[in-house]
Amino acid sequence: MVEDVQSIIEIAAPRERVWQALTDPAQVVQWMGCLRFRAEPGHIFYLQPDRARRDAGDVTGAIACRVEVLDAPRRLSFSWGFPDVPDTFVDIRLRNIPGGTHVRLVHSGWDQFEEQETENVRGGLGQAWHSVALPRLRAVAES
């Protein structure tokens, strides 16, 4: 069985503040670098890894994502669609803890692929979620 990508971070801000950073379009772009995000179930937004295209608002070659679940201020889930590949899913859950918020991210759906097909992608995404996106979310929420 192919392992999910998981990452946990603690943020020194109330859950409602973290939720705002997680779902407000002006703040989402700061930590996730996406285009056209709206916190509405069914809404499609894009993750553009090419900085020049992202800066130009160009979604060519971008990862298409669809908001699946919004449960304020506890849970945001969205599909993650690499071009020409079945979707995977990102689930972000927020829980109150003393002094702030516990954030747990699970990127799942990899079991539809052979492990060797996704090993490098899962490793890269795990690193990106843990070392880039979630620390940026922390910085935005704590500012």
Side-chain angles (χ1 to χ4, degrees):
M1 184 168 154
V2 181
E3 297 281 324
D4 292 340
V5 173
Q6 298 186 49
S7 187
I8 293 173
I9 194 168
E10 293 184 355
I11 298 176
R15 182 171 64 175
E16 290 72 17
R17 172 65 192 113
V18 177
W19 179 257
Q20 183 182 33
L22 193 66
T23 59
D24 174 61
Q27 295 176 66
V28 172
V29 73
Q30 294 176 44
W31 69 269
M32 196 163 50
C34 62
L35 299 169
R36 304 180 189 169
F37 180 85
R38 282 199 322 250
E40 299 173 9
H43 180 74
I44 295 173
F45 64 98
Y46 300 89
L47 294 167
Q48 178 55 274
D50 183 299
R51 182 178 210 111
R53 285 184 178 166
R54 185 172 59 239
D55 290 347
D58 182 358
V59 298
T60 304
I63 297 161
C65 301
R66 184 181 58 253
V67 176
E68 300 289 341
V69 177
L70 277 170
D71 179 17
R74 292 177 281 287
R75 182 178 177 207
L76 168 66
S77 295
F78 53 91
S79 65
W80 179 282
F82 288 107
D84 303 317
V85 177
D87 287 352
T88 56
F89 299 91
V90 177
D91 187 66
I92 304 172
R93 296 185 187 229
L94 309 179
R95 182 171 48 88
N96 286 321
I97 58 172
T101 305
H102 174 93
V103 179
R104 180 173 184 261
L105 179 145
V106 177
H107 193 152
S108 64
W110 304 104
D111 53 350
Q112 62 189 320
F113 306 100
E114 294 297 322
E115 186 166 2
Q116 61 273 16
E117 291 178 314
T118 65
E119 188 173 352
N120 290 336
V121 172
R122 287 182 299 113
L125 284 170
Q127 180 70 16
W129 286 125
H130 185 74
S131 299
V132 180
L134 291 182
R136 285 182 182 166
L137 173 63
R138 175 194 286 142
V140 171
E142 291 179 353
S143 66

